[in-house]
């Protein structure tokens, strides 16, 4: 990847890059939509991600290229307008440029910029957080600033919330920033505070990307966000993390049926994250798997962010030997299912699941056997 990045940078800009950075994609392990409710969540950085190479320019122009799109997008200095259409991918790095001053950091002046990815986009693996963090690291190195990792993570989230316009929580950027091979990242989103948790030996991840995406996915995510905030307000708290499952049940009559279901999902999911930590500590992958599947059921019936395609994969995987558990990973409304398996689950089993899916839905999901990986870092040029 590194050689390809340097070669494409040279081919695009006619010179060598001066700084390079890489940030991983992530799996949401458990904790669905808990992050913006102040709850807890476990994720894993994976061994695929986004690479960014930059070199400063004297004329103040910011020139963006990507291996996923033809051409160069030139943005004149001082122009921080959102891009649209085929150029909208530039909103991630441009959003980072725009976010830096909000954290007392200097934005880079002109530069040539290239992004490359070996992370499937639209698969629920958060390529957007990966490009934000890799861009942030590269820009900060270019301007010789070294804020904390936590600040880098918050810059990425700020870019996503304020510039791209998605009201996401801290999960994606937090995991991409704090990931560690053979570990999960635990985030208490209220702080936020970040920690790593060892993953028991023998745990394997398989991703089944359905390539389906609800046409209204961004609007539906924002709608769930609003519903949770409204439920918290009815319950008299700032965030749903501040109520217990018993309190939600006691307030059933005061909540609309929809708000009751959303609130139940959040508080019960937070309890499942705690139970998962205990099961991980005990090395009990079967118990962890059951919690993952229970999380999916809750997304399906209470948070209502699953789809027929995701449900089918979770069912089919649940009936397949050597699978501990499976659930949708990420925002939902399409995207991907993650399965936690033993080493005995292999390509043949994954292929059978994909074939069954193809019979029902007419297209095969992409299958990815992925490993955990390290968090965002500069790469030696
Ligand atoms: C998306 C968001 C995250 C989180 C998940 C759902 O991935 O970007 O912040 O809310 O959905 O848990």
């Amino acid at each position: 990847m590194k050689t390809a990045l340097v070669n494409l940078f040279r081919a695009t800009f006619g010179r060598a890059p001066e700084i390079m950075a890489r940030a991983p994609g992530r799996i949401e392990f458990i904790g669905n939509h808990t992050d913006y409710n102040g709850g807890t969540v476990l994720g894993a950085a994976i061994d695929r991600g986004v690479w960014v190479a930059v070199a400063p320019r004297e004329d103040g122009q910011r020139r963006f290229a990507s291996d996923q799109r033809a051409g160069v997008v030139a943005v004149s200095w001082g122009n921080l307008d959102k891009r649209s259409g085929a150029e909208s991918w530039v909103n991630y790095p441009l959003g980072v440029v725009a976010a830096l001053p909000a954290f007392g950091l200097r934005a880079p002046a002109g530069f040539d910029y290239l992004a490359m990815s070996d992370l499937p986009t639209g698969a629920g693996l958060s390529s957007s957080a990966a490009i934000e963090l890799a861009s942030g690291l590269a820009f900060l190195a270019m301007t010789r600033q070294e804020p904390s990792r936590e600040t880098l993570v918050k810059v990425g989230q700020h870019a996503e919330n304020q510039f791209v316009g998605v009201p996401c929580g801290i999960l994606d950027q937090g995991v991409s920033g704090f990931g560690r091979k053979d570990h999960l990242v635990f985030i208490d989103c209220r702080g936020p505070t970040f920690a790593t948790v060892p993953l028991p030996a023998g745990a394997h991840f398989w991703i089944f990307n359905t390539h389906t995406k609800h046409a209204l996915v961004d609007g539906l995510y924002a709608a769930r966000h609003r519903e949770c905030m409204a439920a918290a307000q009815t319950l008299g708290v700032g965030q749903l993390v501040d109520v217990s499952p018993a309190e939600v049940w006691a307030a059933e009559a005061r909540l609309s049926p929809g708000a009751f279901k959303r609130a139940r999902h959040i508080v019960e999911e937070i309890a499942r994250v705690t139970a998962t930590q205990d099961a991980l500590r005990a090395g009990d992958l079967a118990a962890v798997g059951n919690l993952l599947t229970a999380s999916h059921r809750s997304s399906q019936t209470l948070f209502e962010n699953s789809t027929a395609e995701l449900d089918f994969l979770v069912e089919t995987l649940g009936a397949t030997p050597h699978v501990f558990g499976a659930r949708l990973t990420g925002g939902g409304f399409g995207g991907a299912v993650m399965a936690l398996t033993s080493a005995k689950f292999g390509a043949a089993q994954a292929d059978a699941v994909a074939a069954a899916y193809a019979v029902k839905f007419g297209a095969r999901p992409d299958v990815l056997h992925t490993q955990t990986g390290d968090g965002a870092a500069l790469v030696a040029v």
Side-chain angles (χ1 to χ4, degrees), residues 24 44-45 149 174-181 183-185 196 373-376:
R149 189 141 289 253
V175 173
S176 185
F178 283 88
R180 183 168 165 205
K181 191 164 171 37
H183 287 71
L184 297 172
V185 179
T196 51
D374 287 327

Side-chain angles (χ1 to χ4, degrees), residues 26 28 31-36 168-172 221 330-331:
R26 65 100 188 89
E28 176 191 284
N32 194 235
H33 287 254
T34 52
D35 60 356
Y36 57 80
C168 68
I170 195 85
L171 163 69
D172 307 343
Y221 183 91

Side-chain angles (χ1 to χ4, degrees), residues 193-238:
T193 57
F194 306 88
T196 51
V197 178
L199 189 62
H204 286 254
F205 292 117
W206 289 78
I207 306 292
F208 295 81
N209 178 11
T210 65
H211 286 289
T212 58
K213 189 175 171 187
H214 199 292
L216 302 173
V217 63
D218 291 341
L220 286 165
Y221 183 91
R224 289 294 180 277
H225 189 281
R226 276 196 306 277
E227 288 171 332
C228 289
M229 299 307 143
Q233 200 175 16
T234 308
L235 289 161
V237 291

Side-chain angles (χ1 to χ4, degrees), residues 86-141:
E87 295 185 355
S88 54
W89 73 271
V90 169
N91 291 331
Y92 298 103
L94 203 55
V96 171
V97 170
L100 289 165
F103 294 84
L105 296 163
R106 271 173 290 118
F111 52 77
D112 288 331
Y113 169 107
L114 172 68
M116 273 183 98
S117 172
D118 60 2
L119 188 64
T121 50
L125 299 174
S126 205
S127 54
S128 56
I131 192 171
E132 286 154 5
L133 288 225
S135 302
L137 271 180
F139 295 153
L140 288 162

